[in-house]
Amino acid sequence: MKLKMHTSDGSVIVESNPVTQFYPDIVSGGELTTIETVSATGEIFTVKVKHPFMQVTGALTTAWSVDEKNNVNNKTKCLLF
């Protein structure tokens, strides 16, 4: 699922599936959250978003839940055909 998040440079779209880790940014005092993703080619991308850690946690949890439900529904549909 794609999530639109704000950075100091504007907005960024974060795809929830390739997120490998996320954590509060210590330097900013927790005002920013660092999100790391890995591409299909193995490249690591890091972005600092202007959202507190708990807000990012909630957004990613919701996105992963939706992704999981979509995957289960898609697998069920495939099994029915």
Side-chain angles (χ1 to χ4, degrees), residues 13-15 19-21 34 59 61 65 67 72 74-75:
I13 302 295
V14 175
E15 183 70 44
V19 171
T20 56
Q21 64 179 341
T34 302
T61 301
S65 176
D67 288 341
V72 168
N74 289 339
K75 287 178 185 176

Side-chain angles (χ1 to χ4, degrees), residues 34-63:
T34 302
I35 301 173
E36 294 183 8
T37 61
V38 176
S39 71
T41 59
E43 294 176 89
I44 298 173
F45 298 98
T46 303
V47 62
K48 290 184 182 187
V49 296
K50 293 174 80 174
H51 300 282
F53 177 75
M54 293 305 292
Q55 186 178 17
V56 173
T57 301
L60 285 171
T61 301
T62 300

